[in-house]
Amino acid sequence: MKRFDPRSFRFRLWAVLVLFAALVCGLMWLVQITALRTTYERDRISAVRQAGNIISSTYGREGFNDALFTVTRSGGFFVQLLREDGVLLRSVGNDGAEAPPPQENLVDWQIFSTLDGTDGYYFYRVPDTVYDSEWIVQAQVVACRDGLREVLFTSASLSPVSAAISMLSSRFLLVTAVVLVTATVLAFVLASSLSRPITRITGRARQLAAGDYEVDFPKGSCTELDHLSAALDTAAAEFRSTEALRRDLIANVSHDMRTPLTMIKAYAEMIEQLSGDDPVKREAHLQIIIRESDKLTRFITETMDLSRLQSGAVELTMEVFPLAECVDSALESFRHLWEREGYRLFLSLDRGALVRGDRRQLERAVFNLINNAFHYTGADQVVYIGVSRLAGEVLFEVIDTGQGIEQSQLRAIWDRYYRINNKHAASTGVGLSIVKAIFELHHARYSVDSRAGGGSCFWFTLPQP
Ligand code: ADP
């Protein structure tokens, strides 16, 4: 995988920002200059049309000279009047006085044949030979005497806008240079300030990847990076707890397997060497061996069941049935315990409360929870079991009066092999993990309400079908 190089990231970011600034300047330049030229041209063309129409409307009448004078002076137009036989009747400059055309080709001597194919108007452009610009010229037939047409040429120079544009262009170049230099510096600062925290986070992430779970991710740059840091902090915390769990797990598993094995070996040796001939002792030792073997078998079976549940290898057989039946079947197994050993069992079972689920798996979960309640309840040996309907859900709860569970342990008890000190003989630390896996397969809501010294209430709910 290509490694992240902060310098090249910074450089690319910087280059992108500078390019962006240049692009914006270029676009502004283009828009300004073209917009200016087109607007000015459009205005001049309509002014030329208007001027031509004013002059032509007075042609051959009194007031023609005044119109000519006023229009040429006010609009800065040059006006020529050409007759078809080649005689230039009038040539008036932009000061209203008679003057030769500012440049020879402004008056097109071939205009009469061109006008033949038009409605009497013709519009053309002539390059300005003095300034780096253009003339716009309107030719229009204003009269026809003795078979000879007379054409009015109204012309205006675009040189003012050309001058303005060239001035603007040079200013704009300066502005662009200033903007680009500023953008370059700003982009550099921005790129550095953005890439610095990323570089720091990347460094810490590498530490995390190398197994340093105590690493702390820096915050305080910008919200998004703070979120990233917070997410990585959470990941590090998860890694820490997984690592702790892994260590516990190895310790627990090896301890849980070694203890019965040691006992089995020790008692087998005792039978071999000491008690082989004494039937009473031999019987007692054999009972211990059988008990420890059972424990080992249960531990291994439960571990395998849990793995199958968690890996999705178990397929649920869904059916609708009264949840109270799970309680009945669990209690059947405990009958000898609560009847003979003086447990005080309180039941409140809504037998009409139906759930949709895998009967066998739910029986197992209910069995484990009731089993724990019997094991961990207090000296008064009270256990309460309830099934009820509540707001579209079916609630199962089992309450005991035992030692309860510390707030800090409430989450961990659902983890595999997690046991708090008060181990009972049959404890494997797998029971609640199996319960949790079954509930999660059923998308059930579940939890435990408990506090140290105050008993526990384990509950889950399933939607009513
Ligand atoms: P175990 O086989 O040890 O009971 P579980 O997974 O069923 O394993 O339970 C995990 C731990 O949670 C137990 O070791 C016990 O400390 C605690 N626990 C479970 N149920 C109760 C309860 N009803 N009251 C107090 N502690 C409980």
Side-chain angles (χ1 to χ4, degrees), residues 7 25 48 61 63 70 80-81 147 214 225 238 243 246 301 314 319-320 330 334 347 365 376 384 412 415 434 452:
R7 263 166 304 162
C25 284
V48 164
R61 288 195 265 139
T70 320
Q80 277 79 36
L81 197 59
E214 297 301 324
L225 289 180
E238 284 296 321
E243 177 62 15
R246 190 181 65 85
T301 314
V314 173
E319 60 179 299
V320 175
F334 291 115
L347 292 175
Y376 295 109
Y384 165 84
D415 291 337
I434 291 180

Side-chain angles (χ1 to χ4, degrees), residues 251-375:
N252 283 346
V253 170
S254 50
H255 174 263
D256 282 330
M257 291 187 73
R258 206 177 321 117
T259 315
L261 281 174
T262 315
M263 300 267 282
I264 290 168
K265 184 163 183 269
Y267 280 94
E269 280 170 359
M270 272 162 74
I271 294 170
E272 184 189 49
Q273 291 159 14
L274 303 171
S275 59
D277 298 332
D278 181 342
V280 181
K281 275 190 179 169
R282 192 182 59 214
E283 184 58 27
H285 293 165
L286 279 172
Q287 282 307 322
I288 295 174
I289 291 178
I290 291 167
R291 196 189 67 207
E292 292 302 317
S293 313
D294 283 349
K295 193 171 169 185
L296 199 58
T297 311
R298 192 172 56 250
F299 178 74
I300 293 168
T301 314
E302 285 194 347
T303 302
M304 284 174 65
D305 284 352
L306 178 61
S307 300
R308 288 179 61 238
L309 279 167
Q310 286 180 334
S311 66
V314 173
E315 248 184 54
L316 299 184
T317 315
M318 302 299 262
E319 60 179 299
V320 175
F321 64 96
L323 187 60
E325 287 180 6
C326 289
V327 180
D328 291 340
S329 93
L331 287 180
E332 200 46 49
S333 320
F334 291 115
R335 187 165 296 279
H336 66 284
L337 200 73
W338 57 276
E339 279 181 359
R340 277 184 233 147
E341 296 192 20
Y343 281 93
R344 288 192 293 148
L345 190 60
F346 295 90
L347 292 175
S348 166
L349 304 179
D350 178 349
R351 297 199 169 270
L354 299 178
V355 292
R356 186 182 167 73
D358 184 311
R359 184 193 284 264
R360 253 196 57 213
Q361 300 297 349
L362 287 176
E363 264 175 21
R364 184 173 196 177
V366 165
F367 177 91
N368 281 0
L369 292 179
I370 296 178
N371 189 20
N372 279 350
F374 275 117
H375 277 298

Side-chain angles (χ1 to χ4, degrees), residues 147-461:
L148 295 174
R149 283 175 291 179
E150 290 169 9
V151 172
L152 178 76
F153 292 86
T154 315
S155 30
S157 171
L158 293 179
S159 65
V161 75
S162 304
I165 284 173
S166 83
M167 193 194 76
L168 263 182
S169 303
S170 62
R171 288 279 157 84
F172 215 92
L173 273 181
L174 190 74
V175 171
T176 306
V178 172
V179 167
L180 276 183
V181 170
T182 319
T184 308
V185 175
L186 279 181
F188 183 76
V189 174
L190 197 68
S192 303
S193 73
L194 267 179
S195 70
R196 206 173 303 124
I198 294 178
T199 313
R200 284 216 305 270
I201 293 174
T202 311
R204 305 275 167 94
R206 284 210 189 101
Q207 266 174 271
L208 181 65
D212 177 2
Y213 303 137
E214 297 301 324
V215 65
D216 183 34
F217 286 88
K219 286 170 209 73
S221 45
C222 68
T223 318
E224 283 72 18
L225 289 180
D226 284 355
H227 285 326
L228 176 64
S229 284
L232 287 167
D233 273 340
T234 314
E238 284 296 321
F239 284 145
R240 275 198 295 276
S241 74
T242 311
E243 177 62 15
L245 191 69
R246 190 181 65 85
R247 266 192 244 116
D248 279 4
L249 192 143
I250 292 172
N252 283 346
V253 170
S254 50
H255 174 263
D256 282 330
M257 291 187 73
R258 206 177 321 117
T259 315
L261 281 174
T262 315
M263 300 267 282
I264 290 168
K265 184 163 183 269
Y267 280 94
E269 280 170 359
M270 272 162 74
I271 294 170
E272 184 189 49
Q273 291 159 14
L274 303 171
S275 59
D277 298 332
D278 181 342
V280 181
K281 275 190 179 169
R282 192 182 59 214
E283 184 58 27
H285 293 165
L286 279 172
Q287 282 307 322
I288 295 174
I289 291 178
I290 291 167
R291 196 189 67 207
E292 292 302 317
S293 313
D294 283 349
K295 193 171 169 185
L296 199 58
T297 311
R298 192 172 56 250
F299 178 74
I300 293 168
T301 314
E302 285 194 347
T303 302
M304 284 174 65
D305 284 352
L306 178 61
S307 300
R308 288 179 61 238
L309 279 167
Q310 286 180 334
S311 66
V314 173
E315 248 184 54
L316 299 184
T317 315
M318 302 299 262
E319 60 179 299
V320 175
F321 64 96
L323 187 60
E325 287 180 6
C326 289
V327 180
D328 291 340
S329 93
L331 287 180
E332 200 46 49
S333 320
F334 291 115
R335 187 165 296 279
H336 66 284
L337 200 73
W338 57 276
E339 279 181 359
R340 277 184 233 147
E341 296 192 20
Y343 281 93
R344 288 192 293 148
L345 190 60
F346 295 90
L347 292 175
S348 166
L349 304 179
D350 178 349
R351 297 199 169 270
L354 299 178
V355 292
R356 186 182 167 73
D358 184 311
R359 184 193 284 264
R360 253 196 57 213
Q361 300 297 349
L362 287 176
E363 264 175 21
R364 184 173 196 177
V366 165
F367 177 91
N368 281 0
L369 292 179
I370 296 178
N371 189 20
N372 279 350
F374 275 117
H375 277 298
Y376 295 109
T377 195
D380 58 4
Q381 293 190 298
V382 167
V383 171
Y384 165 84
I385 302 170
V387 171
S388 54
R389 277 176 276 190
L390 200 79
E393 290 182 316
V394 175
L395 168 72
F396 166 88
E397 52 195 335
V398 51
I399 302 173
D400 65 64
T401 57
Q403 295 249 308
I405 303 159
E406 295 267 353
Q407 208 66 21
S408 57
Q409 318 259 24
L410 284 180
R411 266 186 67 183
I413 54 165
W414 302 95
D415 291 337
R416 197 197 304 217
Y417 306 129
Y418 193 88
R419 291 176 306 179
I420 311 171
N421 298 335
N422 54 344
K423 298 176 202 169
H424 55 81
S427 171
T428 59
V430 184
L432 283 182
S433 316
I434 291 180
V435 172
K436 174 181 169 181
I438 293 172
F439 287 163
E440 287 184 353
L441 282 176
H442 282 82
H443 306 292
R445 291 195 302 121
Y446 66 95
S447 187
V448 52
D449 303 324
S450 180
R451 58 193 157 82
S456 309
C457 169
F458 282 81
W459 62 265
F460 72 90
T461 65

Side-chain angles (χ1 to χ4, degrees), residues 45-57 111-124 137-142 149-154:
I45 288 169
S46 88
V48 164
R49 272 191 208 293
Q50 241 182 341
N53 290 342
I54 292 171
I55 299 167
S56 69
S57 65
I111 194 70
F112 295 98
S113 53
T114 316
L115 282 169
D116 282 344
T118 70
D119 56 352
Y121 277 91
Y122 186 67
F123 200 86
Y124 60 93
V137 187
Q138 176 185 257
Q140 66 189 109
V141 179
V142 286
R149 283 175 291 179
E150 290 169 9
V151 172
L152 178 76
F153 292 86
T154 315

